[in-house]
Amino acid sequence: MAETAFPAPADTVPRASMFDQPRGLWVLSGTELWERISFHGMQALLVLYMVGQLLLPGHIEKITGFATFRGIVEGITGPLSVQALAAQTFGLYVGLVYFTPVIGGAIGDRITGRRVAVIIGGLAMAAGHICLAFDESFLIALLLLIIGAGMLRGNLAAQVKSLYEEGDRRSADAFQLYYVSINIGAFIAPIITGALAVAYGWHTGFAFAAVGMMIGLGVYVAGQGLLPAETGRVPREARAPLTARDRRRLLGFAIVWPLQITFWIAQSQVWNVYNLWVRDHVSLGIGSFQVPVPWLQALDGLAPVLVMPFFLALWQRQAAKGQEPDDLGKMAIGCFIFAGATAWLALAPLVAGADGRAPILWAVAFHLLSNIGWLYFTPIALALYATRSPTGLRGTLLGVNYLATFFASTISGRLGGLYETLSASQFWLLHAAIVGGGGLALVALGRPIRALLDERA
């Protein structure tokens, strides 16, 4: 019989704890750590790989099905240069990685159960990374990675809430700790894959990503005994119908969700065109050593870990005084901070040297500032969906949370083509305006959204 995705009753939640958190949290976090090492390691290389090798003559002709793919894309966008095609391909890939968790979460909720879905997803992602070793299977590799990410991400984070009984105060901190694992993985991955790509070639970097995914899957399988038990899949007719409160919350999410897209448009561009901007506009030399471009993206993993203790302490002090912003308030602050960080990139020409390049510390400062915005926005949004979603739809709605990144990445891929027609400063100011506008909308619509999502309603 298939497993269910519904949270276990309180008496089936494992009691073993470490650092005042259930041990199962560390299993889920460890799995996520290695999945992110896998994903971010590959992501840091992808645009540079396409522009520097794959989409050039001698390679692009070998890619199975790429002529058809290019024809479909350019049928919508018009003719694209190699750089614009790489940006658009990356945008579609990352967008679909964040779209498929909606489907994967629904499959975990309704058919396979979350554990089976995570294992299927991990195996598919490992196979996808292996396929990246060959030009011919590039599109097949992206398809496997997209499917695998949908199954894994749509069901892994959804298990965090099931580790805690209702009202357990530790559950709020759990998502911050869970995101620490994401950020550690995002820090480690570009350093390793970037160094491997420079020393041994692109495909060696992709091979490391495959190894990382298999380690993550091993952690998950080994830790099954520390996760809440899943029982048989509940037939559709036996599922509890949505209550009036559930429907109000769904309406609240329907208002919040489009505003999340504005944040992710700017964030997605940091994964995409930002690498090309660093290549073109930042002085990467430190003495005789040239910093690999992917290494700067490693700062996106390190910065949140460094600043998180300060902001957790700040929020606790604010809470003690009754001044802590609520979830929507923090998300709005995150948008404003991220807008400021993106505008910081636009100001880089002010500090450029005679070679027209900004010092590397300018980019380092961007990563520090932007990740403070990320800390205020991303884990808070995940916790909002995980704690306010109707129980039977939790996995599906966590997928909806990721769906915002799908649309944003698709849009950012299209906007990436403007990098060739706008100045770099105009390009980044456009993105600052988009994410800043999202923050303003969260402030303006905060009161009705709070009323719809109120836990006491």
Short mmCIF file of all heavy atoms in Angstrom, two decimals, residues 91-105 146 149-150 153-154 179 253-254 256-265 268 271 377 381-382 385 394-411:
data_model
loop_
_atom_site.label_atom_id
_atom_site.label_comp_id
_atom_site.label_asym_id
_atom_site.label_seq_id
_atom_site.Cartn_x
_atom_site.Cartn_y
_atom_site.Cartn_z
N GLY A 91 16.93 30.33 -17.55
CA GLY A 91 15.71 30.78 -16.91
C GLY A 91 14.61 29.75 -16.98
O GLY A 91 13.88 29.51 -15.99
N LEU A 92 14.45 29.10 -18.13
CA LEU A 92 13.42 28.06 -18.26
C LEU A 92 13.74 26.87 -17.37
O LEU A 92 12.84 26.31 -16.72
CB LEU A 92 13.33 27.61 -19.72
CG LEU A 92 12.71 28.62 -20.69
CD1 LEU A 92 12.88 28.15 -22.13
CD2 LEU A 92 11.23 28.84 -20.37
N TYR A 93 15.01 26.48 -17.34
CA TYR A 93 15.40 25.34 -16.50
C TYR A 93 15.12 25.60 -15.03
O TYR A 93 14.45 24.82 -14.36
CB TYR A 93 16.89 25.02 -16.71
CG TYR A 93 17.49 24.24 -15.57
CD1 TYR A 93 17.11 22.92 -15.32
CD2 TYR A 93 18.41 24.83 -14.69
CE1 TYR A 93 17.64 22.21 -14.26
CE2 TYR A 93 18.94 24.13 -13.64
CZ TYR A 93 18.55 22.82 -13.42
OH TYR A 93 19.07 22.12 -12.36
N VAL A 94 15.63 26.73 -14.52
CA VAL A 94 15.42 27.03 -13.09
C VAL A 94 13.94 27.24 -12.80
O VAL A 94 13.43 26.82 -11.76
CB VAL A 94 16.25 28.26 -12.67
CG1 VAL A 94 15.92 28.66 -11.24
CG2 VAL A 94 17.74 27.95 -12.77
N GLY A 95 13.24 27.88 -13.74
CA GLY A 95 11.81 28.06 -13.54
C GLY A 95 11.09 26.74 -13.39
O GLY A 95 10.27 26.56 -12.48
N LEU A 96 11.39 25.78 -14.24
CA LEU A 96 10.73 24.49 -14.16
C LEU A 96 11.15 23.71 -12.92
O LEU A 96 10.36 22.93 -12.38
CB LEU A 96 11.01 23.68 -15.43
CG LEU A 96 10.28 24.21 -16.67
CD1 LEU A 96 10.81 23.53 -17.93
CD2 LEU A 96 8.77 24.01 -16.54
N VAL A 97 12.40 23.91 -12.46
CA VAL A 97 12.83 23.29 -11.20
C VAL A 97 11.93 23.74 -10.05
O VAL A 97 11.65 22.97 -9.13
CB VAL A 97 14.31 23.64 -10.91
CG1 VAL A 97 14.66 23.40 -9.45
CG2 VAL A 97 15.24 22.81 -11.79
N TYR A 98 11.46 24.98 -10.13
CA TYR A 98 10.59 25.49 -9.07
C TYR A 98 9.11 25.36 -9.39
O TYR A 98 8.26 25.67 -8.56
CB TYR A 98 10.94 26.96 -8.80
CG TYR A 98 12.23 27.11 -8.03
CD1 TYR A 98 13.44 27.29 -8.70
CD2 TYR A 98 12.25 27.01 -6.65
CE1 TYR A 98 14.63 27.40 -8.00
CE2 TYR A 98 13.44 27.12 -5.94
CZ TYR A 98 14.63 27.32 -6.62
OH TYR A 98 15.80 27.42 -5.93
N PHE A 99 8.79 24.87 -10.61
CA PHE A 99 7.40 24.60 -10.96
C PHE A 99 7.02 23.18 -10.58
O PHE A 99 5.94 22.93 -10.02
CB PHE A 99 7.18 24.80 -12.46
CG PHE A 99 5.84 24.31 -12.95
CD1 PHE A 99 4.70 25.06 -12.72
CD2 PHE A 99 5.72 23.11 -13.62
CE1 PHE A 99 3.46 24.61 -13.16
CE2 PHE A 99 4.49 22.65 -14.06
CZ PHE A 99 3.36 23.41 -13.83
N THR A 100 7.89 22.23 -10.88
CA THR A 100 7.53 20.83 -10.69
C THR A 100 7.29 20.42 -9.23
O THR A 100 6.61 19.41 -9.01
CB THR A 100 8.59 19.91 -11.31
OG1 THR A 100 9.91 20.31 -10.87
CG2 THR A 100 8.53 19.98 -12.83
N PRO A 101 7.80 21.15 -8.21
CA PRO A 101 7.40 20.76 -6.85
C PRO A 101 5.89 20.83 -6.59
O PRO A 101 5.40 20.15 -5.68
CB PRO A 101 8.16 21.77 -5.97
CG PRO A 101 9.40 22.05 -6.74
CD PRO A 101 8.94 22.10 -8.18
N VAL A 102 5.16 21.63 -7.37
CA VAL A 102 3.70 21.63 -7.23
C VAL A 102 3.16 20.25 -7.57
O VAL A 102 2.34 19.67 -6.85
CB VAL A 102 3.07 22.68 -8.17
CG1 VAL A 102 1.56 22.63 -8.07
CG2 VAL A 102 3.58 24.06 -7.82
N ILE A 103 3.66 19.69 -8.69
CA ILE A 103 3.22 18.36 -9.11
C ILE A 103 3.79 17.30 -8.17
O ILE A 103 3.09 16.39 -7.73
CB ILE A 103 3.66 18.09 -10.55
CG1 ILE A 103 3.06 19.15 -11.49
CG2 ILE A 103 3.26 16.69 -10.99
CD1 ILE A 103 3.59 19.12 -12.89
N GLY A 104 5.08 17.44 -7.84
CA GLY A 104 5.70 16.47 -6.95
C GLY A 104 5.05 16.44 -5.57
O GLY A 104 4.86 15.38 -4.98
N GLY A 105 4.71 17.64 -5.06
CA GLY A 105 4.04 17.69 -3.76
C GLY A 105 2.67 17.04 -3.81
O GLY A 105 2.27 16.34 -2.87
N ILE A 146 14.87 18.46 -13.61
CA ILE A 146 13.60 19.14 -13.36
C ILE A 146 12.62 18.19 -12.68
O ILE A 146 11.98 18.54 -11.67
CB ILE A 146 13.03 19.68 -14.68
CG1 ILE A 146 13.86 20.88 -15.17
CG2 ILE A 146 11.56 20.09 -14.51
CD1 ILE A 146 13.62 21.24 -16.62
N ALA A 149 13.93 17.30 -9.07
CA ALA A 149 13.76 18.39 -8.11
C ALA A 149 12.31 18.52 -7.69
O ALA A 149 12.00 18.82 -6.53
CB ALA A 149 14.26 19.70 -8.71
N GLY A 150 11.38 18.31 -8.64
CA GLY A 150 9.97 18.40 -8.29
C GLY A 150 9.56 17.38 -7.26
O GLY A 150 8.86 17.69 -6.29
N ARG A 153 11.90 18.22 -3.78
CA ARG A 153 11.61 19.46 -3.06
C ARG A 153 10.14 19.59 -2.68
O ARG A 153 9.81 20.24 -1.69
CB ARG A 153 12.04 20.65 -3.90
CG ARG A 153 13.54 20.70 -4.09
CD ARG A 153 13.97 21.97 -4.76
NE ARG A 153 15.42 21.99 -4.94
CZ ARG A 153 16.08 23.00 -5.45
NH1 ARG A 153 15.43 24.08 -5.85
NH2 ARG A 153 17.38 22.94 -5.58
N GLY A 154 9.27 18.98 -3.46
CA GLY A 154 7.86 19.05 -3.12
C GLY A 154 7.49 18.23 -1.91
O GLY A 154 6.37 18.33 -1.41
N TYR A 179 17.08 26.06 6.70
CA TYR A 179 17.69 26.89 5.67
C TYR A 179 19.19 27.07 5.89
O TYR A 179 19.91 27.38 4.94
CB TYR A 179 16.97 28.24 5.58
CG TYR A 179 15.96 28.25 4.46
CD1 TYR A 179 14.64 27.92 4.69
CD2 TYR A 179 16.36 28.54 3.16
CE1 TYR A 179 13.73 27.90 3.66
CE2 TYR A 179 15.46 28.53 2.12
CZ TYR A 179 14.13 28.20 2.37
OH TYR A 179 13.23 28.17 1.34
N PHE A 253 -3.18 33.20 0.44
CA PHE A 253 -2.02 32.79 -0.34
C PHE A 253 -2.12 33.26 -1.80
O PHE A 253 -1.11 33.58 -2.43
CB PHE A 253 -1.85 31.26 -0.30
CG PHE A 253 -1.35 30.74 1.02
CD1 PHE A 253 -2.01 29.73 1.69
CD2 PHE A 253 -0.19 31.26 1.58
CE1 PHE A 253 -1.54 29.24 2.90
CE2 PHE A 253 0.29 30.78 2.79
CZ PHE A 253 -0.39 29.77 3.46
N ALA A 254 -3.34 33.27 -2.33
CA ALA A 254 -3.53 33.72 -3.71
C ALA A 254 -3.15 35.18 -3.89
O ALA A 254 -2.75 35.60 -4.97
CB ALA A 254 -4.99 33.50 -4.14
N VAL A 256 -0.79 36.74 -1.74
CA VAL A 256 0.64 36.83 -1.44
C VAL A 256 1.48 36.34 -2.61
O VAL A 256 2.52 36.92 -2.95
CB VAL A 256 0.98 36.02 -0.17
CG1 VAL A 256 2.49 35.89 0.01
CG2 VAL A 256 0.37 36.68 1.06
N TRP A 257 1.02 35.27 -3.23
CA TRP A 257 1.84 34.56 -4.20
C TRP A 257 2.35 35.44 -5.36
O TRP A 257 3.54 35.41 -5.67
CB TRP A 257 1.07 33.36 -4.72
CG TRP A 257 1.84 32.53 -5.68
CD1 TRP A 257 2.78 31.58 -5.40
CD2 TRP A 257 1.76 32.59 -7.10
NE1 TRP A 257 3.28 31.04 -6.55
CE2 TRP A 257 2.68 31.64 -7.61
CE3 TRP A 257 1.01 33.34 -7.99
CZ2 TRP A 257 2.84 31.44 -8.97
CZ3 TRP A 257 1.18 33.14 -9.35
CH2 TRP A 257 2.09 32.20 -9.83
N PRO A 258 1.50 36.24 -6.01
CA PRO A 258 2.05 37.06 -7.11
C PRO A 258 3.12 38.05 -6.64
O PRO A 258 4.02 38.40 -7.41
CB PRO A 258 0.81 37.81 -7.64
CG PRO A 258 -0.36 37.02 -7.18
CD PRO A 258 0.05 36.44 -5.87
N LEU A 259 3.02 38.49 -5.40
CA LEU A 259 4.01 39.44 -4.89
C LEU A 259 5.35 38.76 -4.64
O LEU A 259 6.39 39.41 -4.70
CB LEU A 259 3.48 40.08 -3.61
CG LEU A 259 2.11 40.77 -3.74
CD1 LEU A 259 1.70 41.41 -2.44
CD2 LEU A 259 2.12 41.79 -4.86
N GLN A 260 5.32 37.45 -4.36
CA GLN A 260 6.58 36.72 -4.20
C GLN A 260 7.37 36.70 -5.51
O GLN A 260 8.61 36.65 -5.49
CB GLN A 260 6.30 35.27 -3.77
CG GLN A 260 5.71 35.12 -2.38
CD GLN A 260 5.38 33.68 -2.07
OE1 GLN A 260 4.22 33.28 -2.01
NE2 GLN A 260 6.41 32.86 -1.91
N ILE A 261 6.68 36.74 -6.62
CA ILE A 261 7.35 36.67 -7.92
C ILE A 261 8.33 37.83 -8.07
O ILE A 261 9.42 37.67 -8.64
CB ILE A 261 6.31 36.67 -9.05
CG1 ILE A 261 5.50 35.37 -9.02
CG2 ILE A 261 6.99 36.83 -10.42
CD1 ILE A 261 4.36 35.33 -10.04
N THR A 262 7.97 39.01 -7.56
CA THR A 262 8.85 40.17 -7.74
C THR A 262 10.20 39.96 -7.07
O THR A 262 11.24 40.35 -7.61
CB THR A 262 8.19 41.44 -7.17
OG1 THR A 262 8.02 41.31 -5.75
CG2 THR A 262 6.83 41.68 -7.82
N PHE A 263 10.20 39.33 -5.89
CA PHE A 263 11.45 39.04 -5.21
C PHE A 263 12.29 38.06 -6.03
O PHE A 263 13.50 38.25 -6.24
CB PHE A 263 11.20 38.46 -3.82
CG PHE A 263 12.45 38.06 -3.09
CD1 PHE A 263 13.14 38.98 -2.31
CD2 PHE A 263 12.95 36.77 -3.19
CE1 PHE A 263 14.30 38.62 -1.65
CE2 PHE A 263 14.12 36.39 -2.52
CZ PHE A 263 14.79 37.32 -1.75
N TRP A 264 11.63 37.02 -6.51
CA TRP A 264 12.38 35.95 -7.18
C TRP A 264 12.86 36.35 -8.57
O TRP A 264 13.80 35.74 -9.08
CB TRP A 264 11.53 34.68 -7.22
CG TRP A 264 11.46 34.04 -5.87
CD1 TRP A 264 10.38 33.95 -5.05
CD2 TRP A 264 12.54 33.42 -5.17
NE1 TRP A 264 10.71 33.32 -3.88
CE2 TRP A 264 12.03 32.98 -3.93
CE3 TRP A 264 13.87 33.20 -5.47
CZ2 TRP A 264 12.82 32.33 -2.99
CZ3 TRP A 264 14.67 32.56 -4.54
CH2 TRP A 264 14.14 32.12 -3.32
N ILE A 265 12.24 37.35 -9.20
CA ILE A 265 12.78 37.84 -10.47
C ILE A 265 14.19 38.36 -10.26
O ILE A 265 15.12 38.03 -11.01
CB ILE A 265 11.87 38.93 -11.06
CG1 ILE A 265 10.58 38.32 -11.62
CG2 ILE A 265 12.60 39.70 -12.17
CD1 ILE A 265 9.56 39.35 -12.07
N SER A 268 16.56 35.43 -9.10
CA SER A 268 16.88 34.52 -10.19
C SER A 268 17.93 35.11 -11.11
O SER A 268 18.73 34.37 -11.70
CB SER A 268 15.61 34.19 -10.99
OG SER A 268 14.67 33.51 -10.20
N TRP A 271 21.39 34.27 -10.12
CA TRP A 271 21.85 32.95 -10.55
C TRP A 271 22.19 32.93 -12.04
O TRP A 271 22.91 32.06 -12.51
CB TRP A 271 20.75 31.91 -10.30
CG TRP A 271 20.32 31.79 -8.89
CD1 TRP A 271 21.06 32.01 -7.77
CD2 TRP A 271 19.02 31.41 -8.43
NE1 TRP A 271 20.31 31.79 -6.65
CE2 TRP A 271 19.05 31.43 -7.01
CE3 TRP A 271 17.82 31.06 -9.06
CZ2 TRP A 271 17.95 31.09 -6.23
CZ3 TRP A 271 16.72 30.73 -8.29
CH2 TRP A 271 16.78 30.75 -6.89
N PHE A 377 13.15 37.19 3.75
CA PHE A 377 12.08 36.83 2.83
C PHE A 377 11.88 35.32 2.69
O PHE A 377 10.80 34.80 2.93
CB PHE A 377 12.34 37.44 1.45
CG PHE A 377 11.20 37.28 0.50
CD1 PHE A 377 10.22 38.26 0.40
CD2 PHE A 377 11.08 36.15 -0.30
CE1 PHE A 377 9.15 38.11 -0.47
CE2 PHE A 377 10.01 35.99 -1.17
CZ PHE A 377 9.04 36.98 -1.26
N ALA A 381 8.78 33.06 4.07
CA ALA A 381 7.72 32.64 3.15
C ALA A 381 7.48 31.14 3.25
O ALA A 381 6.32 30.68 3.27
CB ALA A 381 8.09 33.02 1.72
N LEU A 382 8.55 30.35 3.35
CA LEU A 382 8.39 28.91 3.48
C LEU A 382 7.64 28.56 4.77
O LEU A 382 6.72 27.73 4.76
CB LEU A 382 9.76 28.23 3.48
CG LEU A 382 9.76 26.70 3.65
CD1 LEU A 382 9.07 26.03 2.49
CD2 LEU A 382 11.18 26.18 3.81
N TYR A 385 3.85 29.26 4.46
CA TYR A 385 3.10 28.22 3.76
C TYR A 385 3.01 26.95 4.58
O TYR A 385 1.97 26.27 4.60
CB TYR A 385 3.77 27.93 2.41
CG TYR A 385 3.38 28.89 1.32
CD1 TYR A 385 4.01 30.13 1.20
CD2 TYR A 385 2.40 28.57 0.38
CE1 TYR A 385 3.66 31.02 0.20
CE2 TYR A 385 2.04 29.46 -0.62
CZ TYR A 385 2.68 30.68 -0.71
OH TYR A 385 2.32 31.57 -1.69
N ARG A 394 -0.66 20.54 2.42
CA ARG A 394 0.59 21.20 2.79
C ARG A 394 1.68 20.98 1.73
O ARG A 394 2.35 21.92 1.31
CB ARG A 394 1.07 20.70 4.15
CG ARG A 394 2.32 21.45 4.64
CD ARG A 394 2.67 21.03 6.06
NE ARG A 394 1.62 21.44 6.98
CZ ARG A 394 1.19 20.67 7.98
NH1 ARG A 394 1.69 19.47 8.17
NH2 ARG A 394 0.23 21.11 8.78
N GLY A 395 1.86 19.74 1.29
CA GLY A 395 2.87 19.49 0.28
C GLY A 395 2.57 20.22 -1.02
O GLY A 395 3.46 20.78 -1.66
N THR A 396 1.29 20.22 -1.41
CA THR A 396 0.90 20.90 -2.64
C THR A 396 1.16 22.39 -2.55
O THR A 396 1.69 23.01 -3.49
CB THR A 396 -0.60 20.64 -2.92
OG1 THR A 396 -0.82 19.23 -2.98
CG2 THR A 396 -1.01 21.28 -4.24
N LEU A 397 0.81 23.00 -1.42
CA LEU A 397 0.98 24.45 -1.29
C LEU A 397 2.45 24.83 -1.11
O LEU A 397 2.85 25.93 -1.51
CB LEU A 397 0.14 24.97 -0.12
CG LEU A 397 -1.36 25.03 -0.43
CD1 LEU A 397 -2.16 25.43 0.81
CD2 LEU A 397 -1.64 26.00 -1.57
N LEU A 398 3.26 23.97 -0.53
CA LEU A 398 4.69 24.24 -0.53
C LEU A 398 5.22 24.24 -1.96
O LEU A 398 6.11 25.01 -2.31
CB LEU A 398 5.44 23.22 0.31
CG LEU A 398 5.34 23.43 1.83
CD1 LEU A 398 5.93 22.24 2.57
CD2 LEU A 398 6.04 24.70 2.25
N GLY A 399 4.63 23.39 -2.80
CA GLY A 399 4.96 23.44 -4.21
C GLY A 399 4.51 24.74 -4.85
O GLY A 399 5.21 25.29 -5.70
N VAL A 400 3.37 25.25 -4.45
CA VAL A 400 2.89 26.54 -4.96
C VAL A 400 3.86 27.65 -4.55
O VAL A 400 4.12 28.59 -5.33
CB VAL A 400 1.47 26.83 -4.43
CG1 VAL A 400 1.05 28.27 -4.73
CG2 VAL A 400 0.47 25.86 -5.05
N ASN A 401 4.41 27.57 -3.35
CA ASN A 401 5.43 28.53 -2.93
C ASN A 401 6.61 28.52 -3.91
O ASN A 401 7.09 29.58 -4.34
CB ASN A 401 5.91 28.17 -1.52
CG ASN A 401 7.05 29.04 -1.04
OD1 ASN A 401 6.99 30.26 -1.11
ND2 ASN A 401 8.10 28.42 -0.54
N TYR A 402 7.06 27.34 -4.29
CA TYR A 402 8.14 27.24 -5.28
C TYR A 402 7.70 27.72 -6.66
O TYR A 402 8.52 28.16 -7.46
CB TYR A 402 8.64 25.80 -5.38
CG TYR A 402 9.42 25.30 -4.17
CD1 TYR A 402 9.01 24.18 -3.47
CD2 TYR A 402 10.56 25.96 -3.75
CE1 TYR A 402 9.73 23.72 -2.38
CE2 TYR A 402 11.29 25.51 -2.67
CZ TYR A 402 10.86 24.38 -1.98
OH TYR A 402 11.58 23.93 -0.90
N LEU A 403 6.40 27.61 -6.93
CA LEU A 403 5.89 27.98 -8.25
C LEU A 403 6.15 29.46 -8.56
O LEU A 403 6.32 29.83 -9.72
CB LEU A 403 4.40 27.69 -8.32
CG LEU A 403 3.70 27.88 -9.67
CD1 LEU A 403 4.30 26.95 -10.71
CD2 LEU A 403 2.20 27.59 -9.52
N ALA A 404 6.20 30.29 -7.53
CA ALA A 404 6.52 31.70 -7.76
C ALA A 404 7.89 31.84 -8.41
O ALA A 404 8.10 32.71 -9.27
CB ALA A 404 6.48 32.47 -6.43
N THR A 405 8.83 30.98 -8.02
CA THR A 405 10.16 31.04 -8.60
C THR A 405 10.14 30.57 -10.05
O THR A 405 10.96 31.03 -10.86
CB THR A 405 11.13 30.20 -7.77
OG1 THR A 405 10.96 30.52 -6.39
CG2 THR A 405 12.56 30.47 -8.16
N PHE A 406 9.22 29.66 -10.39
CA PHE A 406 9.09 29.24 -11.79
C PHE A 406 8.77 30.43 -12.69
O PHE A 406 9.45 30.69 -13.69
CB PHE A 406 8.00 28.18 -11.92
CG PHE A 406 7.45 28.05 -13.31
CD1 PHE A 406 8.24 27.53 -14.33
CD2 PHE A 406 6.16 28.44 -13.61
CE1 PHE A 406 7.74 27.41 -15.62
CE2 PHE A 406 5.65 28.34 -14.88
CZ PHE A 406 6.45 27.81 -15.91
N PHE A 407 7.73 31.16 -12.33
CA PHE A 407 7.36 32.30 -13.16
C PHE A 407 8.45 33.37 -13.15
O PHE A 407 8.76 33.97 -14.18
CB PHE A 407 6.02 32.88 -12.69
CG PHE A 407 4.84 32.08 -13.12
CD1 PHE A 407 4.27 31.14 -12.29
CD2 PHE A 407 4.30 32.25 -14.39
CE1 PHE A 407 3.18 30.39 -12.70
CE2 PHE A 407 3.22 31.49 -14.81
CZ PHE A 407 2.65 30.56 -13.96
N ALA A 408 9.03 33.58 -11.98
CA ALA A 408 10.08 34.60 -11.87
C ALA A 408 11.29 34.24 -12.72
O ALA A 408 11.86 35.09 -13.41
CB ALA A 408 10.48 34.78 -10.42
N SER A 409 11.70 32.98 -12.68
CA SER A 409 12.88 32.57 -13.45
C SER A 409 12.62 32.64 -14.94
O SER A 409 13.50 33.02 -15.73
CB SER A 409 13.28 31.15 -13.07
OG SER A 409 13.68 31.09 -11.73
N THR A 410 11.41 32.30 -15.35
CA THR A 410 11.05 32.42 -16.77
C THR A 410 11.10 33.88 -17.21
O THR A 410 11.63 34.21 -18.28
CB THR A 410 9.66 31.82 -17.01
OG1 THR A 410 9.63 30.46 -16.54
CG2 THR A 410 9.32 31.83 -18.49
N ILE A 411 10.56 34.75 -16.36
CA ILE A 411 10.58 36.19 -16.67
C ILE A 411 12.02 36.71 -16.66
O ILE A 411 12.42 37.47 -17.55
CB ILE A 411 9.71 36.97 -15.66
CG1 ILE A 411 8.25 36.58 -15.82
CG2 ILE A 411 9.89 38.47 -15.83
CD1 ILE A 411 7.36 37.07 -14.69
#
